[in-house]
Amino acid sequence: MRPWIILLLALLLVPATEARLEQSKLQIALLGNSVDSALADTLIFNIEGPVVEVVPTDAKNFEMQKGKKVIIILGGPDAYEGVGGIVSKLLSQEEQRYIRSEGARMTYSKRDLWRKGQQVFIFAGSNRNETRKAHMEAVDAVSRSLRELTP
């Protein structure tokens, strides 16, 4: 076979291979307001990789993303820009009371909220700094959980 034919075949196969890799990536929806999302760079850095893609979203566009297998939500029941309204529906009254107490932070893990087999992580705190601390403290455990879910 001529060398240029082999090269042509190789060039044709590379985009197909890249497309399959893109399709096999675990897409994670990251819901947060502008402040909490801006403080999540370390979290994103630690979970995004060759087989994991983080898809940022806001409350307005969350409806299109809530079918993802994994969702990470940044913020508590009082978070701005509509995030708090979503979180309020997911946390119990007791969980909300706790998060509203001064200096509180927690990582909540919920399953099967909008689809079967779904994992939702909620990093919430009494303010933006506590929310950031919540995901900084849990990033290693979340990363391990995500590795189990990747293709």
Side-chain angles (χ1 to χ4, degrees):
M1 195 179 286
R2 303 213 174 199
W4 64 270
I5 293 176
I6 294 171
L7 178 62
L8 179 63
L9 287 172
L11 290 174
L12 290 172
L13 291 176
V14 167
T17 303
E18 287 177 357
R20 278 195 300 278
L21 181 59
E22 273 305 307
Q23 290 173 347
S24 67
K25 278 188 172 187
L26 174 64
Q27 289 192 329
I28 298 173
L30 178 71
L31 170 64
N33 62 39
S34 55
V35 174
D36 289 329
S37 293
L39 294 173
D41 54 339
T42 302
L43 174 67
I44 294 168
F45 177 80
N46 279 291
I47 61 175
E48 197 164 46
V51 294
V52 176
E53 177 185 5
V54 176
V55 180
T57 191
D58 56 20
K60 290 184 304 198
N61 297 303
F62 182 60
E63 190 68 30
M64 295 182 299
Q65 302 298 329
K66 70 183 193 180
K68 297 257 188 277
K69 187 173 185 176
V70 178
I71 298 174
I72 295 175
I73 302 175
L74 304 173
D78 299 325
Y80 301 131
E81 300 170 18
V83 175
I86 294 168
V87 172
S88 293
K89 295 174 186 170
L90 305 178
L91 297 181
S92 70
Q93 290 298 316
E94 184 178 320
E95 290 168 329
Q96 290 182 50
R97 266 192 303 280
Y98 172 74
I99 286 302
R100 288 182 171 117
S101 61
E102 185 67 31
R105 63 182 173 271
M106 184 63 69
T107 299
Y108 298 97
S109 179
K110 309 280 184 174
R111 296 196 59 81
D112 305 327
L113 293 176
W114 293 286
R115 71 171 253 200
K116 187 172 173 38
Q118 184 179 59
Q119 181 71 49
V120 178
F121 298 98
I122 304 169
F123 298 108
S126 59
N127 58 47
R128 68 182 62 136
N129 294 321
E130 295 303 326
T131 294
R132 184 173 194 274
K133 287 177 187 175
H135 64 74
M136 294 292 288
E137 291 169 355
V139 69
D140 290 336
V142 170
S143 294
R144 281 191 301 276
S145 294
L146 294 177
R147 278 195 291 277
E148 295 171 9
L149 298 171
T150 55

